[in-house]
Amino acid sequence: MTDLKKLHQAILDGNAKASAEETAHALVAGVDPMTIIEGTMIPAMDEVGRLFECQDYFVPELLLSGRAMKAAMQLLRPLLAKSGAQPVGRVVIGTVKGDLHDIGKNLVASMLEGGGFDVTDLGTDVSPDRFVAAIGEKNADIVCLSALLTVTMPAMKTTIEALERAGVRNKVRVLIGGAPVTLQYAREIGADGYGENANAAVALARELGKGTLRP
Amino acid sequence: MTDLKKLHQAILDGNAKASAEETAHALVAGVDPMTIIEGTMIPAMDEVGRLFECQDYFVPELLLSGRAMKAAMQLLRPLLAKSGAQPVGRVVIGTVKGDLHDIGKNLVASMLEGGGFDVTDLGTDVSPDRFVAAIGEKNADIVCLSALLTVTMPAMKTTIEALERAGVRNKVRVLIGGAPVTLQYAREIGADGYGENANAAVALARELGKGTLRP
Amino acid sequence: MSLAIGSLSEFLFGHAPRPVSCGRGLELGKGTVIPEINFTLPAMDIDEATWPEVRRLYAEMIEGVCKRAAELEAPGLLVEFETLPAMTIRPEWGREIVEILATCLHGYYEKHGLKNALRVTPNDTRDFLSPSHMRDGQYWEAMAQLFEMSAAAGADLLSIESTGGKEVCDEALRFGDLRQTIFGLAILGARDMEFLWKHLVGVCSKANIVPAGDSACAFGNTAMVLADQKFIPRVLAAVIRVASVPRSLVAYRMGAAGPSKDCAYEGPYLKAIAGVPISMEGRSSACAHLTHVGNIAQAVCDAWSNESVQQVRLLSAYAPIVSLEQLVYDCRLMNTAAAGSREDAIRLRDWLVESDAALDPQAWVLRPDVVLRIAERIATEPTPYLQTRVAARCAIEEIASAHREGRLRVSPQEIRWIAKIEREVAQLPGQESEFIDEMLATPVAEKFLPGEYGIESVASR
Amino acid sequence: MSLAIGSLSEFLFGHAPRPVSCGRGLELGKGTVIPEINFTLPAMDIDEATWPEVRRLYAEMIEGVCKRAAELEAPGLLVEFETLPAMTIRPEWGREIVEILATCLHGYYEKHGLKNALRVTPNDTRDFLSPSHMRDGQYWEAMAQLFEMSAAAGADLLSIESTGGKEVCDEALRFGDLRQTIFGLAILGARDMEFLWKHLVGVCSKANIVPAGDSACAFGNTAMVLADQKFIPRVLAAVIRVASVPRSLVAYRMGAAGPSKDCAYEGPYLKAIAGVPISMEGRSSACAHLTHVGNIAQAVCDAWSNESVQQVRLLSAYAPIVSLEQLVYDCRLMNTAAAGSREDAIRLRDWLVESDAALDPQAWVLRPDVVLRIAERIATEPTPYLQTRVAARCAIEEIASAHREGRLRVSPQEIRWIAKIEREVAQLPGQESEFIDEMLATPVAEKFLPGEYGIESVASR
Ligand code: B12
Ligand code: B12
Ligand code: SF4
Ligand code: SF4
Ligand SMILES: [Zn+2]
Ligand SMILES: [Zn+2]
Ligand SMILES: [Zn+2]
């Protein structure tokens, strides 16, 4: 059990190397993979989330803990039954056509991943067609559009129209965000939700997953 | 002729009493009414307009000259043939429902009158129905709507809709203005024109009268 | 009556002879200048259908400004809620918004220690009837109700921008008629203020909250906006500003305590005479009114405000948050300068003054030295009418002499207005009753109901 | 290399050792602070269909701000036109707007004597390809063309906010990785700046206009915005700001003359070292970025800017006019104080400084005294990399000691970051080539094309 405390700490510290090592030790010592995950790793990530929420941790710490968690999972995944944990949902995310701002979008993507979503990041300057294609390929539930320029905001509308034309609009929930975007705008273009920041994005994606829409 | 110079000066000074007196003198001296109007009064008012344009005169001076002109006209009108000067157009103006700001609207109304329009001022807080009724009664060509509050701007749209419902929308040109109003908004609600200030309002009303619309 | 502020060196931002404590730990005039923020709806209808959205928007606005005020460690925050007509006519609506705002403010005080207070300013709807009913009728009833409801729902201060006399001033301004303007301000306005503020002070003292102040906005600011559009001369607007002082003073005589309203640019006079803390706005409120007194208006303020800004999105954030941030930095500068020494505060004050004063007569009449000189003359007169008469006279004298001495620039077209105004002022009767009788004999009398201002008696005398 | 500014008492707003004359009678750094206004489109598409409307909007914006600047008798007006991507990718569009703006500015100079100049800042579109092509390809070609076309169409100054090195910094910022950030700034950024500014200075000297300056906006301001959202620590953002100085300095070494870009908050360092006039923004640009350096950013500026604001309607006027008015009043205050005496200018400067400095490390590193100390150390190093290394080290030292002495507050969560940054800085190699080799061996190398920065040779060494 002492070893698992070290794993806990390694995740909190965002130390991927130590995290993998401690996981390996535990496995060698015969600890059940599900015990490692549920007894140690998930509580550790919950703790990280809490520290971030109360603004004790910053994003770098959050991301590094995420990496440490991933490093451990890499060892555990092959040992878990195929029927194991399903992702909470499948998300396709990108910055719309004409826009290269991606820092906010990347944060949203990371947080969604941290929140258990399976995230496909299409990058920046993504055309409506590429969104349509990716939804098909990835069988996505949620599409996240980001825009930081007032002159690329209209591309959000164009993208939603393309989803309609392609007949996939009602298969997905569309979530939008970025500094100039507002709830009013989301309503105007018929998006399903608007998130003010990355935390809101995760909460919202969860809500949408449950089929409950924002007003 | 010396007397008509005095009349000219009385109008420039905005002195209604002197203006009426000098007109009476001229009539007694046998000057033809049309000569008084075309030879003296109209040039005087043109001069006033010019002084206002180049910001030498202020609105009070403009309005007082208008009053002086009116005082003279009161003596002349009965002597003119019925077939005399037609108004440039018939305008119905008012501040929309819920809004009491009327200083701007009043200025626009005065300037339109000065510009030769026949103006019916419905006052403030004017409901769409009252606009519709007045258009019928006055056989108006142009309707001017004013709004100063962001929360009464939408009443401009409602008013235009009421004109449509009443079947009078294509009989009139709708001109809108007031501090929060923009050209974009005018386009959005299907108004025929937007005027930034009272001078623009007159120019625009003239243009609309000619059947030429703004972009 | 002697001035509350005896000398130029005591006439400072942040310090008022009669400080005010209000809300949750907020103090005005006790040494620190506080930001006052005001915000309003974007272009939209207010009706049953949109009401939930209206509520949401106010909640969003107050949360946004409080959050940023806490992040920037504002020394305190005064929030003003000016109702829109629909919220006064249906006071239950106004009350709901007051509650939303108060709840958020309480939360920020408790969680973040943000000292704050809520000023509620129902808008004066009495002129929805024409001629206006000032003391009865549905509009007065609803407005009076909103005052009480606001006090109960969490308002810490009550204000109004009352419009008594506006019926005659609107026309007077258009015609540049100073005499008629003074009738609206000093005869009608002052009487209405007496009635209204007696009532308001009563409401406040029952609820144990602060009766703050009124603004001659419907007169002074209308003139200012008209002058900015070059429709009336700036010299006239400047004289009207000073002539509005006695009307606004009535509130304090009736028991109001300040802070005055931000848009009452006559504030420095109110502070000099009544000693109350004042709220002012200037370049900070360019979002609401463009102005030629952007810096000088700040010189002796106790709260510093943005007047009002809509909830529209700018590149960084919503406009009210942007305004709040700018106010906080302005206050930081003033408070830092003042923390040095009184001399430093005076220096900053004087730079604010000198940077505007010479360029516009409207700025000139806000010079602290000019204010003290004219205020002293106002304070010696017994009635609002006589105070207004002397205020107008002193104002045009100060402008004329500053112009003569080359210290103030007056544009060539305006110069003939100086003489015109001097003439008009000289012709104002020495007796109030004479003035009233005279005005009641003109068409002006058709514009208002004398009874609503309690003046039949005088007229029928 | 010794500093252009030798002592704290010469480090003032409005005065720069190497003033710049540009446009129509405009002088920067010669004693008067000038407003610099920037504006942009509201939410809309830019395409063939909307292009006439885009043109109309720019004409409306420039007319609005010029008119108000003339009314307020601004001491001069610098207008910045930052292109939007569509206007750089299709440079003919950018040129059309330049022409519209220049025509209006010429008119206001002739009719109203408004001294003015037009700064054109094509936006850096080279990262539309990933990995970016920095020195060839369609994006570079179009951008290069726009510079020439702008110069011909009426630009008086050229600027850019170049993004060389951003490919690696974006990720580095997210992970709070100072080492990788410094690689992006000092190795990639500095090399790109050398290439770019050589080109730009050439364009300008052919056209006889002013090569103004660049901004480390993509690095420093991204960090600032992330810190404001509490995503990364403020101490880190402060260090990154100072670490961006050597990169931005390259432009001046290559012949740029200033004024620096408003959003380059590293400006005071550029002024201290290169002596060029600087444009700054702070509370005045809250419309574009919220900030924790609202006052201190103003302390030694030569132009004072709003960064950028959309053409949205506020209650008084369009937002650009509102921003312009606020800038003019801010400049009036500075110029009035400075008209008194040098001591007065220093006083105002110091209040601006003291009002912010203690509250945030990002403000602390903009203190004029801190700037001079660190600038001196930067100036003694021979290469951008070594300059950056020392800049980062000095910045964290200054922050740590100010914190220890209780002069600067650092929030509890950030304290552990001070040690972390000190460690990271200490580990930076003394040899540039060593650093490059090391970084090229990490996954970072996949993010950019070394050849685009002219560094194959080093790597293959
Ligand atoms: C950093 C930055 C850049 C960097 C971009 C780096 C990068 N890789 O992204 C650089 C320097 C390259 C850049 C370039 C430009 N920029 Co820029 N940039 C910024 C800046 C300063 C910060 C943006 C940022 O990263 N913020 C931090 C992140 C974390 O916040 P965020 O993006 O808002 O994201 C959060 C939320 O919005 C939300 N969110 C975001 N996306 C989504 C999606 C969903 C689905 C949800 C639910 C939530 C969500 O969650 C995020 C985390 O909380 C902003 C200023 C600002 N105030 O925002 C300007 C800004 C956006 N840029 C602007 C401009 C003009 C430009 C340029 C055109 C400049 C030029 N002329 O050269 C170019 C255009 C580039 C292009 N083609 O897109 C303007 C936009 C003006 C306008 N008209 O729209 C801004 C507003 C600056 C300004 N005030 O003028 N920029
Ligand atoms: C004077 C004034 C008042 C006076 C009105 C006097 C009167 N009889 O009109 C008083 C004090 C009564 C008043 C009251 C209120 N007001 Co008010 N008022 C103003 C002020 C300062 C000036 C308006 C004005 O007269 N300007 C001078 C005239 C000449 O200009 P103008 O009206 O823009 O008109 C010109 C052009 O727009 C154009 N034009 C106008 N109409 C038309 C029509 C056509 C067809 C055309 C072509 C052109 C055109 O030509 C005119 C001449 O060039 C403005 C501030 C501002 N910046 O505009 C606020 C302002 C409009 N008021 C405001 C508010 C909030 C109110 C109140 C609700 C305040 C309160 N809480 O008590 C009440 C509401 C009253 C009501 N029910 O309508 C806000 C509006 C905010 C919002 N959310 O929309 C403003 C913007 C002030 C602010 N910055 O906060 N107000
Ligand atoms: S103009 Fe300003 S201040 Fe005056 S009533 Fe209107 S809102 Fe209130
Ligand atoms: S953030 Fe400000 S400054 Fe930076 S690129 Fe963008 S616009 Fe230019
Ligand atoms: Zn007001
Ligand atoms: Zn106000
Ligand atoms: Zn910028």
Side-chain angles (χ1 to χ4, degrees), chain B residues 150 179-184 187 194, chain D residues 42 53 56-57 60 313-315 318:
Chain B
T150 51
V181 180
T182 61
L183 177 54
Q184 281 95 328
R187 288 176 185 160
Y194 154 73
Chain D
E53 179 67 5
R56 189 189 72 74
L57 282 164
E60 185 176 81
R313 185 84 189 191
L314 298 179
L315 296 169
Y318 281 103

Short mmCIF file of all heavy atoms in Angstrom, two decimals, chain B residues 150 179-184 187 194, chain D residues 42 53 56-57 60 313-315 318:
data_model
loop_
_atom_site.label_atom_id
_atom_site.label_comp_id
_atom_site.label_asym_id
_atom_site.label_seq_id
_atom_site.Cartn_x
_atom_site.Cartn_y
_atom_site.Cartn_z
N THR B 150 -32.41 52.12 -25.86
CA THR B 150 -32.17 50.82 -26.49
C THR B 150 -33.40 49.93 -26.34
O THR B 150 -33.64 49.08 -27.18
CB THR B 150 -30.96 50.12 -25.85
OG1 THR B 150 -31.12 50.12 -24.44
CG2 THR B 150 -29.68 50.82 -26.22
N ALA B 179 -30.24 58.61 -31.11
CA ALA B 179 -28.85 58.29 -30.79
C ALA B 179 -28.48 56.80 -30.91
O ALA B 179 -27.43 56.49 -31.45
CB ALA B 179 -28.51 58.82 -29.40
N PRO B 180 -29.28 55.85 -30.42
CA PRO B 180 -28.80 54.46 -30.47
C PRO B 180 -29.02 53.78 -31.82
O PRO B 180 -28.59 52.66 -32.02
CB PRO B 180 -29.64 53.76 -29.39
CG PRO B 180 -30.91 54.53 -29.34
CD PRO B 180 -30.57 55.95 -29.71
N VAL B 181 -29.72 54.45 -32.72
CA VAL B 181 -30.10 53.84 -34.00
C VAL B 181 -28.91 53.86 -34.96
O VAL B 181 -28.10 54.78 -34.92
CB VAL B 181 -31.31 54.59 -34.59
CG1 VAL B 181 -31.73 53.98 -35.92
CG2 VAL B 181 -32.47 54.58 -33.60
N THR B 182 -28.80 52.84 -35.79
CA THR B 182 -27.72 52.78 -36.77
C THR B 182 -28.28 52.44 -38.15
O THR B 182 -29.40 51.96 -38.26
CB THR B 182 -26.70 51.68 -36.41
OG1 THR B 182 -27.37 50.42 -36.41
CG2 THR B 182 -26.07 51.90 -35.05
N LEU B 183 -27.44 52.66 -39.14
CA LEU B 183 -27.81 52.30 -40.51
C LEU B 183 -28.09 50.80 -40.60
O LEU B 183 -29.06 50.37 -41.22
CB LEU B 183 -26.67 52.70 -41.46
CG LEU B 183 -26.83 52.34 -42.92
CD1 LEU B 183 -28.15 52.86 -43.48
CD2 LEU B 183 -25.67 52.91 -43.74
N GLN B 184 -27.24 50.01 -39.93
CA GLN B 184 -27.46 48.57 -39.93
C GLN B 184 -28.85 48.23 -39.42
O GLN B 184 -29.55 47.40 -39.98
CB GLN B 184 -26.44 47.85 -39.03
CG GLN B 184 -25.08 47.65 -39.63
CD GLN B 184 -24.14 48.78 -39.22
OE1 GLN B 184 -24.57 49.92 -39.03
NE2 GLN B 184 -22.86 48.46 -39.10
N ARG B 187 -31.55 48.92 -41.87
CA ARG B 187 -31.63 47.87 -42.88
C ARG B 187 -32.33 46.63 -42.33
O ARG B 187 -33.17 46.02 -42.98
CB ARG B 187 -30.24 47.47 -43.33
CG ARG B 187 -29.58 48.51 -44.18
CD ARG B 187 -28.17 48.06 -44.50
NE ARG B 187 -27.44 49.08 -45.24
CZ ARG B 187 -26.12 49.12 -45.30
NH1 ARG B 187 -25.39 48.21 -44.68
NH2 ARG B 187 -25.53 50.07 -45.99
N TYR B 194 -31.98 56.07 -42.71
CA TYR B 194 -31.55 56.39 -41.35
C TYR B 194 -30.85 57.74 -41.41
O TYR B 194 -30.00 57.96 -42.29
CB TYR B 194 -30.60 55.32 -40.83
CG TYR B 194 -29.65 55.83 -39.78
CD1 TYR B 194 -30.12 56.10 -38.49
CD2 TYR B 194 -28.31 56.09 -40.06
CE1 TYR B 194 -29.27 56.60 -37.53
CE2 TYR B 194 -27.46 56.60 -39.10
CZ TYR B 194 -27.94 56.85 -37.84
OH TYR B 194 -27.11 57.37 -36.88
N PRO D 42 -17.00 44.89 -36.50
CA PRO D 42 -17.87 44.11 -35.62
C PRO D 42 -17.99 42.68 -36.19
O PRO D 42 -17.40 42.39 -37.23
CB PRO D 42 -19.20 44.84 -35.72
CG PRO D 42 -19.19 45.48 -37.06
CD PRO D 42 -17.75 45.82 -37.35
N GLU D 53 -19.56 46.70 -47.70
CA GLU D 53 -19.91 47.06 -46.32
C GLU D 53 -18.64 47.22 -45.47
O GLU D 53 -18.56 48.12 -44.63
CB GLU D 53 -20.84 45.98 -45.74
CG GLU D 53 -21.27 46.19 -44.30
CD GLU D 53 -22.17 47.40 -44.10
OE1 GLU D 53 -22.56 48.06 -45.08
OE2 GLU D 53 -22.46 47.70 -42.92
N ARG D 56 -17.30 50.55 -46.27
CA ARG D 56 -18.12 51.58 -45.65
C ARG D 56 -17.81 51.70 -44.15
O ARG D 56 -17.70 52.80 -43.61
CB ARG D 56 -19.61 51.26 -45.83
CG ARG D 56 -20.53 52.41 -45.40
CD ARG D 56 -21.99 52.03 -45.38
NE ARG D 56 -22.33 51.13 -44.30
CZ ARG D 56 -22.44 51.48 -43.01
NH1 ARG D 56 -22.24 52.71 -42.64
NH2 ARG D 56 -22.74 50.58 -42.09
N LEU D 57 -17.64 50.55 -43.50
CA LEU D 57 -17.38 50.58 -42.06
C LEU D 57 -16.04 51.25 -41.75
O LEU D 57 -15.95 52.05 -40.82
CB LEU D 57 -17.44 49.16 -41.49
CG LEU D 57 -18.87 48.64 -41.30
CD1 LEU D 57 -18.87 47.12 -41.10
CD2 LEU D 57 -19.53 49.32 -40.10
N GLU D 60 -16.45 54.89 -42.13
CA GLU D 60 -17.23 55.43 -41.01
C GLU D 60 -16.36 55.54 -39.76
O GLU D 60 -16.41 56.53 -39.03
CB GLU D 60 -18.41 54.48 -40.76
CG GLU D 60 -19.41 54.91 -39.73
CD GLU D 60 -20.59 53.91 -39.66
OE1 GLU D 60 -20.46 52.84 -39.00
OE2 GLU D 60 -21.63 54.18 -40.27
N ARG D 313 -22.03 50.02 -31.37
CA ARG D 313 -22.67 51.24 -30.93
C ARG D 313 -22.76 51.25 -29.41
O ARG D 313 -23.30 50.32 -28.82
CB ARG D 313 -24.08 51.29 -31.51
CG ARG D 313 -24.83 52.55 -31.23
CD ARG D 313 -24.47 53.58 -32.25
NE ARG D 313 -24.99 54.88 -31.90
CZ ARG D 313 -25.00 55.91 -32.73
NH1 ARG D 313 -24.51 55.79 -33.94
NH2 ARG D 313 -25.46 57.07 -32.35
N LEU D 314 -22.27 52.29 -28.79
CA LEU D 314 -22.52 52.47 -27.36
C LEU D 314 -23.58 53.56 -27.22
O LEU D 314 -24.08 54.08 -28.21
CB LEU D 314 -21.23 52.82 -26.64
CG LEU D 314 -20.17 51.72 -26.74
CD1 LEU D 314 -18.89 52.11 -26.02
CD2 LEU D 314 -20.69 50.39 -26.18
N LEU D 315 -23.95 53.89 -25.99
CA LEU D 315 -25.06 54.83 -25.82
C LEU D 315 -24.73 56.20 -26.41
O LEU D 315 -25.60 56.89 -26.92
CB LEU D 315 -25.41 54.97 -24.34
CG LEU D 315 -25.94 53.67 -23.70
CD1 LEU D 315 -26.01 53.81 -22.19
CD2 LEU D 315 -27.30 53.32 -24.28
N TYR D 318 -20.17 55.39 -31.44
CA TYR D 318 -19.50 54.12 -31.69
C TYR D 318 -18.29 53.98 -30.78
O TYR D 318 -17.64 54.97 -30.42
CB TYR D 318 -19.08 54.02 -33.16
CG TYR D 318 -20.21 53.65 -34.07
CD1 TYR D 318 -20.84 54.60 -34.86
CD2 TYR D 318 -20.69 52.34 -34.13
CE1 TYR D 318 -21.90 54.25 -35.69
CE2 TYR D 318 -21.74 52.00 -34.95
CZ TYR D 318 -22.35 52.94 -35.73
OH TYR D 318 -23.39 52.59 -36.53
#
